[in-house]
């Protein structure tokens, strides 16, 4: 058993052999931002002050040479090798309100339906206690005994008494886990999931207009966040979901968003098609049309989810329209082939 000491508080958490620092902190009820748990996004970067660790295989773009020289490491892949590791951890930034993730929770698949030619909606129910999570978080799903690696999938619904989770899984060509979900998994199958993870969560005190940008299954966390924000009642500022799809047939659950639009006066749903032109839809990629639809983003909170390229391009476009860094929240669906 090893120790992780947090500076400046001096608080310690224990760490099992082979456990990552991120996972040990989470087990100890402490949190650091993380988005991929695979050394690909850089979100879990932390300065290591003393002690040794094995960084594992990570992408250079997630931790630059300069970061390494300054003593930073990626905690999602870091494993402690000395008796103690001291890390910079501002305890006042800890968010104990997040629920500690658990591994190997047993769920049953209760429904699998194709909602677009490439995206399946998966409903699952917990056979134990309902999982507690915040809208916008994700779980990991896979089947280790069949050699299917666990991959991250965002929860699209909001916490509920039935313990139901809804996921939207895109079939990726040659993708191990997504193909398993699409081709093998069926209603009535038991699955093991880990979670909840992630910090792409709404700010309950936010009092700004909100604009959510999503493409493909990036709509999943946005659905959860938008539903929770609108249902919580007190929120009256304008909230908009702008969704990008190639064709009309790739729109995910447009009926749900039309319903939300009818029910909540402050909510607007906009869809843009990138590969066909049709009445009733915008046309073109979000980064290109954002200025026309939302010319001033200086007082708007943004939530952006989808492929890393989509998130990056949208963020750049939003910043040019005045969006403030501290009001931009991102969830890039990074590829985790490195795990
Ligand atoms: C925080 C987070 C949340 C996520 N939420 C969702 C979600 O709600 N729904 C969802 O469908 N996915 C989501 N993803 C992506 C998901 O975790 C997997 O990366 C994806 O399903 C591909 O895994 P795979 O095992 O099928 O493909 P792999 O076997 O890992 O990859 C197979 C091949 O496809 C390429 N590839 C991998 N991913 C993609 C991609 N997205 N687009 C194009 N090519 C790719 C790889 O480079 C490789 O060549 C999320 C990722 C993260 C980090
Ligand atoms: S690099 Fe660690 S969470 Fe993405």
């Amino acid at each position: 058993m090893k120790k992780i000491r947090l500076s400046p508080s001096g608080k310690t958490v224990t760490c099992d052999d082979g456990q990552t620092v991120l996972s040990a902190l989470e087990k100890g009820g402490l949190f650091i931002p993380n988005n991929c748990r695979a050394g690909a996004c850089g979100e879990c970067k932390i300065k290591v002050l003393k002690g040794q660790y094995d960084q594992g295989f990570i992408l250079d773009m997630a931790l630059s040479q300069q970061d390494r020289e300054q003593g930073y490491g990626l905690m999602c892949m870091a494993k402690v090798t000395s008796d103690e590791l001291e890390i910079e951890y501002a305890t006042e930034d800890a968010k104990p309100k997040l629920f500690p993730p658990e591994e190997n929770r047993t769920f049953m698949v209760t429904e699998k339906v194709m909602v677009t030619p490439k995206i399946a909606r998966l409903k699952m129910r917990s056979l134990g206690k309902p999982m507690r999570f915040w809208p916008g978080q994700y779980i990991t799903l896979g089947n280790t005994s069949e050699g299917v690696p666990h991959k991250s999938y965002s929860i699209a619904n909001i916490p509920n008494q039935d313990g139901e989770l809804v996921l939207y899984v895109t079939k990726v060509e040659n993708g191990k886990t997504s193909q398993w979900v699409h081709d093998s998994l069926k209603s009535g199958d038991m699955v093991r999931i880990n979670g909840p993870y992630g910090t792409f969560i709404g700010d309950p005190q936010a009092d700004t207009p909100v604009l959510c940008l999503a493409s493909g299954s990036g709509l999943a966390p946005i659905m959860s966040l938008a539903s929770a924000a609108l249902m919580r009642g007190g929120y009256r500022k304008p909230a908009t979901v702008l969704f990008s799809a190639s064709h009309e047939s790739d729109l995910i659950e447009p009926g749900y968003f039309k319903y939300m639009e009818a029910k909540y006066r402050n909510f607007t749903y906009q869809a843009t098609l990138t590969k066909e032109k049709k009445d009733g839809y915008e046309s073109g990629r979000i980064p290109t049309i954002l200025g026309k639809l939302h010319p001033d983003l200086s007082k708007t909170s943004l939530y952006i989810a989808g492929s890393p390229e989509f998130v990056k391009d949208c963020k750049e476009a939003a910043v040019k329209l005045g969006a403030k860094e501290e009001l931009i929240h991102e969830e890039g669906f990074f590829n985790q082939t490195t795990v």
Side-chain angles (χ1 to χ4, degrees):
M1 191 76 83
K2 302 180 183 328
K3 267 191 196 157
I4 301 170
R5 186 173 295 277
L6 311 177
S7 176
S9 71
K11 189 178 163 154
T12 57
V13 293
T14 52
C15 182
D16 294 333
D17 286 337
Q19 189 176 28
T20 64
V21 175
L22 172 63
S23 152
L25 289 176
E26 287 175 336
K27 283 242 160 81
L30 299 161
F31 294 90
I32 46 177
N34 66 89
N35 267 338
C36 71
R37 307 179 83 81
C41 74
E43 275 289 308
C44 63
K45 187 167 81 175
I46 270 195
K47 193 166 195 168
V48 176
L49 304 172
K50 263 190 216 148
Q52 268 85 48
Y53 63 104
D54 174 0
Q55 179 57 93
F57 184 71
I58 58 163
L59 299 188
D60 285 347
M61 68 172 198
L63 189 73
S64 67
Q65 193 51 40
Q66 197 187 11
D67 288 333
R68 288 171 201 252
E69 282 160 15
Q70 288 172 0
Y72 287 94
L74 297 182
M75 298 302 112
C76 69
M77 299 293 280
K79 292 181 180 160
V80 183
T81 52
S82 50
D83 290 341
E84 189 170 298
L85 191 77
E86 186 173 330
I87 62 170
E88 204 172 67
Y89 187 96
T91 43
E92 51 277 19
D93 285 347
K95 292 181 179 137
K97 60 182 183 179
L98 290 183
F99 306 109
E102 272 177 38
E103 291 178 1
N104 277 321
R105 295 170 185 258
T106 312
F107 274 68
M108 182 177 278
V109 177
T110 53
E111 184 188 278
K112 192 178 94 178
V113 175
M114 294 302 291
V115 292
T116 78
K118 278 196 191 153
I119 299 180
R121 181 181 68 217
L122 204 61
K123 289 190 176 172
M124 307 184 298
R125 283 204 183 187
S126 169
L127 289 168
K129 282 185 298 179
M131 189 174 88
R132 302 180 73 197
F133 63 94
W134 282 89
Q137 288 196 290
Y138 64 91
I139 50 99
T140 70
L141 169 68
N143 185 341
T144 331
S145 58
E146 284 181 24
V148 181
H150 269 250
K151 295 288 168 71
S152 307
Y153 295 100
S154 301
I155 305 167
N157 61 332
I158 55 176
N160 56 87
Q161 280 183 341
D162 296 333
E164 184 172 74
L165 297 183
V166 180
L167 310 179
Y168 289 91
V169 178
T170 305
K171 187 168 187 173
V172 171
E173 210 175 319
N174 301 320
K176 281 202 191 90
T177 308
S178 63
Q179 300 250 349
W180 165 74
V181 169
H182 277 258
D183 302 340
S184 307
L185 207 58
K186 51 185 191 319
S187 290
D189 282 356
M190 303 264 233
V191 287
R192 298 281 180 167
I193 68 160
N194 306 324
Y197 301 119
T199 44
F200 185 62
I201 56 176
D203 176 357
Q205 272 133 42
D207 198 25
T208 61
V210 169
L211 173 62
C212 302
L213 309 176
S215 71
S217 43
L219 195 63
I222 297 291
M223 250 172 129
S224 177
L225 282 169
S227 306
L230 293 167
M231 285 175 192
R232 94 174 128 96
Y235 185 76
R236 296 274 173 270
K237 294 274 158 65
T240 307
V241 167
L242 174 54
F243 179 53
S244 168
S246 307
H247 301 93
E248 191 181 32
S249 57
D250 298 313
L251 294 175
I252 302 172
E253 314 275 17
Y256 176 76
F257 287 100
K258 288 282 164 202
Y259 161 77
M260 295 298 272
E261 214 173 27
K263 188 165 162 114
Y264 299 101
R265 271 206 233 150
N266 57 333
F267 178 64
T268 311
Y269 168 68
Q270 301 171 319
T272 181
L273 305 180
T274 56
K275 292 196 178 147
E276 74 176 324
K277 282 198 188 319
K278 277 221 151 164
D279 286 348
Y281 300 107
E282 298 295 331
S283 168
R285 293 182 71 235
I286 291 181
T288 316
I289 62 168
L290 194 59
K292 183 186 87 176
L293 299 178
H294 302 276
D296 179 6
L297 293 176
S298 57
K299 296 190 177 72
T300 302
S301 294
L302 278 117
Y303 290 83
I304 315 175
S307 70
E309 302 74 39
F310 171 82
V311 172
K312 180 173 160 281
D313 293 351
C314 286
K315 185 176 175 182
E316 276 171 17
V319 168
K320 283 191 191 138
L321 299 167
K324 298 200 177 69
E325 280 283 338
E326 63 273 21
L327 294 181
I328 303 180
H329 312 264
E330 320 158 33
E331 186 80 312
F333 284 4
F334 287 92
N335 170 12
Q336 303 131 78
T337 39
T338 48
V339 198

